[in-house]
Amino acid sequence: MECQLKLGLNRGKVVSLPDQLTEIQGTQYGDIFPTAYLHGSTTAITGKDYTRTEDGKILVTKEGLPVISPAKGNLIGNREPDFLLGLSSTMSYKQLTLSFLVDSRKGGDVVNLTSRSLFSSGMNKRLETYRNREVVFDGVVLQDDGSYLPNTKPVIFDQQTMNNYFTSVSSNFIEDGSYIRLSYVTLGYDFTPYIAKSSVIKDLKLTFTGRNLFLLTKYSGSDPQINVSPTSGGSGGAGIDNFSVPNTRSFNFNVNITF
């Protein structure tokens, strides 16, 4: 039995930019940009966000509606994972061989633009829960004395509220891209010892491989390991889910014969 455990991580930081720039933007997706952000990550995400208190809580009006920041280039995410982990093993018993690979990622944001588009078109499944019902935005309300109290004012999540205060804010579609995946399992059997010496067949091996068999993730889209454009420049298209084709599941059966 052979087993390997591999751990990998990258850390990229922009230490300086010319001409008082704060970011170098990649391909635009609405108001969202994959960017290299000054004093931040080379795989950052910028876009629209709510106005927040110093400790990150969303500021809500006394009418129960969140306040949207007028700035468009808010730092709202980082596509760089905390680390990548892979476990592979090969086991053999007589003529039977079994090998597999489990890979995982901890952290790394994904922009779910697919979900945003489905909300805008009224086809997101979550609308079955929230459409035209009362919701309370999670945030705080500024009081006359300068203090904050939790928001308790309900509002109706209708088309206008959704468009103006939810889908228009990019940070609502930043999700954790952590996952555990069973990348492949290969089962093989060597029939060579059972072949007569007088046979024209000298070697016979059968293998069956299944790929992308299992995925465990909290990401609400199809696959957190997504890349909108593998050939895109700048900070790349990794972590951008814009109706991209996810990793597919496949099965292969191979016969290896030597005469």
Side-chain angles (χ1 to χ4, degrees):
M1 178 177 177
E2 179 183 345
C3 187
Q4 290 184 337
L5 181 66
K6 295 183 179 181
L7 174 69
L9 56 89
N10 290 309
R11 291 293 179 267
K13 183 178 181 180
V14 182
V15 296
S16 65
L17 289 174
D19 301 325
Q20 298 182 333
L21 294 176
T22 59
E23 61 177 304
I24 297 178
Q25 299 176 337
T27 303
Q28 180 178 3
Y29 302 95
D31 59 334
I32 292 177
F33 290 89
T35 70
Y37 205 82
L38 182 60
H39 305 309
S41 174
T42 55
T43 53
I45 308 166
T46 61
K48 295 186 70 175
D49 193 11
Y50 296 111
T51 299
R52 299 177 182 269
T53 62
E54 292 183 358
D55 57 352
K57 295 179 181 177
I58 298 172
L59 189 62
V60 180
T61 66
K62 294 181 179 180
E63 291 74 30
L65 295 170
V67 179
I68 300 174
S69 171
K72 293 184 178 180
N74 297 285
L75 180 61
I76 57 176
N78 181 11
R79 294 167 292 145
E80 188 175 67
D82 298 335
F83 61 83
L84 301 172
L85 188 67
L87 174 65
S88 62
S89 181
T90 299
M91 296 169 280
S92 299
Y93 178 73
K94 294 184 179 181
Q95 280 72 54
L96 184 67
T97 302
L98 174 68
S99 61
F100 67 85
L101 170 63
V102 177
D103 72 278
S104 65
R105 180 176 75 186
K106 172 64 171 63
D109 292 323
V110 179
V111 185
N112 197 341
L113 294 170
T114 303
S115 176
R116 187 181 205 174
S117 298
L118 292 175
F119 263 108
S120 298
S121 60
M123 294 189 293
N124 195 294
K125 185 173 178 57
R126 290 163 63 190
L127 287 172
E128 296 176 3
T129 302
Y130 296 107
R131 181 186 281 118
N132 294 326
R133 298 183 183 180
E134 284 191 343
V135 298
V136 177
F137 281 96
D138 184 15
V140 294
V141 180
L142 178 62
Q143 304 301 301
D144 295 335
D145 61 359
S147 62
Y148 295 99
L149 289 178
N151 175 49
T152 58
K153 179 73 173 180
V155 295
I156 300 297
F157 194 74
D158 54 16
Q159 186 75 25
Q160 181 177 356
T161 301
M162 182 184 72
N163 289 339
N164 293 339
Y165 297 98
F166 183 72
T167 57
S168 62
V169 180
S170 317
S171 57
N172 286 322
F173 302 95
I174 303 297
E175 299 186 39
D176 180 15
S178 301
Y179 68 83
I180 298 175
R181 184 194 308 275
L182 180 56
S183 293
Y184 72 81
V185 174
T186 297
L187 182 65
Y189 197 86
D190 186 358
F191 287 91
T192 305
Y194 304 105
I195 299 175
K197 293 183 179 180
S198 59
S199 174
V200 295
I201 298 177
K202 305 302 180 184
D203 186 87
L204 175 60
K205 296 177 181 178
L206 304 181
T207 58
F208 177 80
T209 300
R211 301 185 183 276
N212 196 25
L213 299 177
F214 174 79
L215 176 64
L216 179 63
T217 181
K218 291 183 179 180
Y219 178 62
S220 66
S222 58
D223 194 324
Q225 193 181 17
I226 206 79
N227 194 325
V228 69
S229 177
T231 59
S232 62
S235 59
I240 309 294
D241 185 351
N242 190 26
F243 290 98
S244 305
V245 177
N247 291 301
T248 58
R249 180 175 297 156
S250 64
F251 300 94
N252 303 97
F253 182 72
N254 297 311
V255 180
N256 191 329
I257 304 177
T258 301
F259 295 96

